[in-house]
Amino acid sequence: MSKLTIYQYPKCSTCRSAVKWLQGQGHELQLQHIAEQPPSVEELRSLVANSGLELKKFFNTSGEVYKTLDLKSKLANLSEQEQLELLSAHGMLIKRPIVSDGQKVTVGFKEEQYAEAWSNVLTSSTSSTSSTSL
């Protein structure tokens, strides 16, 4: 099984919940502090592409930095490159946690979404037996 990289803020309760859930599934995690070591522009470009989400979904719209920079009114006028540079320069602008195995990416934490994306560790041995009973 591959190691998951989780871009997170340790003081964030949502991030802590995500880490706990992933560890409970048996995943090995590489934790990256999103404020101290935000992803680079290229890392972000790859994360966005692998997520299948629009770039705007990577912005923490309820965060202080987003409000201070008045991005609600400015974001639509920024190029993709400018948006990626902003996110890379201000880790607290990034919606968290971001989890990636290098191919698949999830943003935020919803247990149902995680169960679909990341629960293959402990449930894979039981899923084959339950699928035969269908």
Side-chain angles (χ1 to χ4, degrees):
M1 179 204 9
S2 63
K3 181 188 289 190
L4 299 179
T5 299
I6 181 164
Y7 300 88
Q8 51 93 39
Y9 184 62
K11 294 180 181 179
C12 169
S13 62
T14 303
C15 292
R16 288 194 309 266
S17 295
V19 167
K20 183 178 177 180
W21 191 93
L22 291 165
Q23 288 173 331
Q25 294 295 310
H27 288 284
E28 182 182 346
L29 303 178
Q30 176 183 331
L31 303 177
Q32 186 163 331
H33 195 299
I34 207 161
E36 294 176 359
Q37 191 180 11
S40 69
V41 169
E42 286 310 311
E43 287 172 314
L44 284 164
R45 192 181 312 279
S46 176
L47 290 167
V48 171
N50 289 340
S51 74
L53 299 171
E54 297 177 74
L55 178 55
K56 69 180 180 179
K57 298 288 186 184
F58 279 74
F59 280 86
N60 177 10
T61 58
S62 60
E64 194 63 39
V65 177
Y66 187 88
K67 293 172 183 174
T68 301
L69 296 176
D70 191 29
L71 291 178
K72 183 176 182 176
S73 65
K74 296 176 182 174
L75 198 59
N77 297 322
L78 297 176
S79 70
E80 177 182 301
Q81 182 66 26
E82 290 170 323
Q83 291 179 42
L84 290 168
E85 288 172 2
L86 260 178
L87 290 170
S88 183
H90 304 280
M92 295 303 280
L93 265 180
I94 302 172
K95 183 169 176 73
R96 57 192 185 264
I98 297 175
V99 180
S100 177
D101 64 0
Q103 296 178 5
K104 182 173 31 178
V105 174
T106 56
V107 179
F109 175 64
K110 290 189 174 123
E111 194 165 332
E112 308 80 40
Q113 176 193 30
Y114 272 44
E116 187 177 314
W118 308 117
S119 69
N120 57 356
V121 177
L122 298 177
T123 58
S124 60
S125 60
T126 57
S127 63
S128 60
T129 56
S130 62
S131 63
T132 57
S133 63
L134 295 176

